[in-house]
Amino acid sequence: MGEYEPQRIEAKWQKIWEEQGAFNADRDPVRPKYYVLEMLPYPSGTLHMGHMRNYSIGDAVARFKRMRGFNVLHPIGWDSFGLPAENAAIKNGIPPRQWTNSNIQQMKATCKRFGFSYDWRREISTCEPEYYRWNQWFFLKMLGRGLAYRKLSKVNWCPQCQTVLANEQVVDGCCWRHETTAVEVREIEQWFLRITNYSDELLADMAELKDGWPERVLVMQENWIGKSRGTRVRFAVPDLSGIALEVFTTRIDTIYGVSAVLLSPHHPILSELVAGVPGAGAMEERLEAMRKVNLRAADLATAEKIGIFTGRFALNPFSGERVPIWVANFVLAEYGTGAVMCVPAHDQRDFEFAQKYHLPLKIVVQPLSGSVLRVDQMEQAYTEYGRSVDSGPYSGMESAAAIEKMTADAEAKGFGRAETTYRLKDWGISRQRYWGTPIPVVYCKKDGVVGVPEEQLPVRLPENVVLTGEGRSPLANVPEFLKTTCPKCGGPAERETDTMDTFVDSSWYFYRYTDAHNDRAPYDPSNVQYWFPIDQYIGGIEHAILHLIYSRFFAKVMRDLGLIQHGEPVRRLFSQGMVQKGGRAMSKSHGNVVGADEMAQKYGCDTARMYTLFAAPPAKDLEWSEDGIEGCSRFINKVYRLVDRHAQNLKNVESRLSESVDLSQATGKEKLLLRKAHQTLKRVTHDFESRWHFNSSIALIMEYYNEVQAQEPLDQGMRPEVAKRLVELLVLMLAPISSHVCEELWEMLGHSGGLARVSWPAFRDDLAKEEQFEIVIQINGRVRGKILVEDGLSEEETKERALADPRIAPLVQGRTIVKVIVVPRKLVNIVLR
RNA sequence: GCCCGGGUGGCGGAAUGGCAUACGCAGAGGACUUAAAAUCCUCAGGCCGCAAGGCCGUGUGGGUUCAACUCCCACCCCGGGUACCA
């Protein structure tokens, strides 16, 4: 009799897997491919249970799919450029590369300690020149196509990080990494990628993702792109010749209801507009105060509307009406034209604004049906489509038609035009940082901005750079990097000293896995052709916008470069819930990590992995607690002892697939357990295939075990080959989850060659079928009894037996049966009056 | 504000409109042991009752239905997202 020794077993099988190259995946013309991927980690130094949950889900799926006969690609790598390495260097004087690589070493050891079934030959690290040269290569391709460009632009500057932030890295006006540090605005020459060229396509192609991606991710991306069709209309300012205000509206049909023109407090024309107006000085002060207010997103929507009358008027180009020009705090400078028309009757914000400042309310759209709107009865704006009224020649038209006609007329008369606006902005990728991909460009006095020729790639990041964390890009202080010659004229030139946003690295890394060591191209397209798209991508919801929209953009650029044929890299996406500790996402920066190594040491990785799957459904957030992990540990122990108990007797027994069991010869005990086994198999298979409720799968397998346990001794009243198969089924169903111990148990049962070559057991309907059912008898919906009936009993007969039941009959006696509902195999409900 | 999740025992959680609380944790009792650990068995939503049994019970209030954790309406609370986008 042996003892379950997780540490010994886990080390043993990890070694065997490695020696066998058990998880190496190569192109295979026979088996169907399956590409399953977890988002690559940043090498912060510690893999915690949040990571482990992500990888445990992915690994269970990878192993299951292998057992289902797929050629599974399951790779891992390191997102190894980025700020923390540089900060560590500034703080402790350790070179970023050294810090990063030692972290990778540690985390890789932890990964191996958990036995994830990765093809380690394909490991990548984005900070290596072998990888980042292809970032530079892609950049140059985009430069050549005008998709990368430089512009002087306002940027978000975090005074803490001392660097530029992407729009996406600004959260509620503060830095995403320093939640209390307000972001400042600066103007610098920056490199941008023209993601907006793909706005429409990024939006349209979401239709392809509808079945495989979580709804909320698609909604978030849709909002992020923020497409809006409308009309740009010019309002002349009669007192100031040469000045006109342009507004953007999606409801040009309401323009006869305009009560004012509203400007953003940041509108560039403001100072010109208010110059010369009495009280301009005081007004400027109030405007400045309005500009300074910085609200959190949640408060924005409920914030009080504040306006300042400019003293100027504008002319409604349709009606000729003179309307006041106001500045309003709720008008956004960055969106549309920074100015809107105020239509109190048909926009809720305008309604509230008009009420406060007593601007007139004019109804110009009436509902197509229902009660007619009246000015003195309106309590909120009517924002639906309807029929135009009091709108000059457009009165009587339905809204959609009015919008079309009025836009066309505005265009014809030269004071407006149709316009589609987007919220999505081009992607600023310049970072004034050291630890990133150098942007492969030189500046020559004679030739200007020159891309580094492809054959000179990679532009290597110089080592041994002293990092201080001050101001500009550290690379500007490295003369041997900075000074170079112009590739065109050979004259003296300087290199670009900014590096790329690390989101560039992660925008295409999953293509590199298909051909990780190619030194002539980012990848061989034929490899991508074979492995793509990614069948299943698994990661945190926090990447719903940034990473996942940038990767989609990169795929489209690659397609336009002729490198790939598809436009969408990810077929199915799964967003697992966060692992939290103390109510916050587990992360090193929050200082609340539970180390994965510690768990493996304490319980073994099979237990730790099972527990991360058992503690909650994968999509749900999980507050980490060790309470309960003992249960998984105990369960694995029990399974081990069960197998151990019977291994001697069973290991030489010819393994009879349950698929070939002859039911007619089966004993009662055999039937009972085969039934339970196949009922479990059916549901567990379904969970793996589509539902991913691994917590329920594990519970079901536990139930199955309990049933087997209850039927001990298994060597009585049961043929050995059936007993063996029943135990095997238990092991096989657990194999994707707690793989090491299952390998060991499989071996103990007399098998060689490992589980990697074993197929997932086939489900057999006739074995799972119940012969008898317990029927619940209800009276008026309350349970009053139970009877056992054989399958196939007619409804009529079931009803008879229910009514005849000795517990039921007296209750029914003397009362009127209104009706009897019979649900086959489930219940009988007798409705009495 | 709006959008998306969610609210079930002491805890994590389970349940295609059909026995609410599976599975596990923690707990109580028992067996084994000199003892402890481990293991095994039993109990376990609340209230009333010696018991048989009854009543109540899935955030709150309504509704649909023979039957509602599940569907519909209104509301409360928690979490996440967010764009006052004209």
Side-chain angles (χ1 to χ4, degrees), chain A residues 154-165:
Chain A
K154 284 184 185 159
V155 291
N156 308 301
W157 177 268
C158 172
Q160 282 269 15
C161 306
Q162 289 283 306
T163 194
V164 170
L165 302 175

Side-chain angles (χ1 to χ4, degrees), chain A residues 471-503:
Chain A
R472 289 192 55 198
S473 172
L475 291 176
N477 301 323
V478 185
E480 55 276 29
F481 176 83
L482 185 67
K483 303 290 178 202
T484 185
T485 52
C486 172
K488 270 193 185 161
C489 69
E494 289 197 348
R495 285 191 193 280
E496 167 67 66
T497 58
D498 283 354
T499 53
M500 293 183 200
D501 180 3
T502 57
F503 275 110

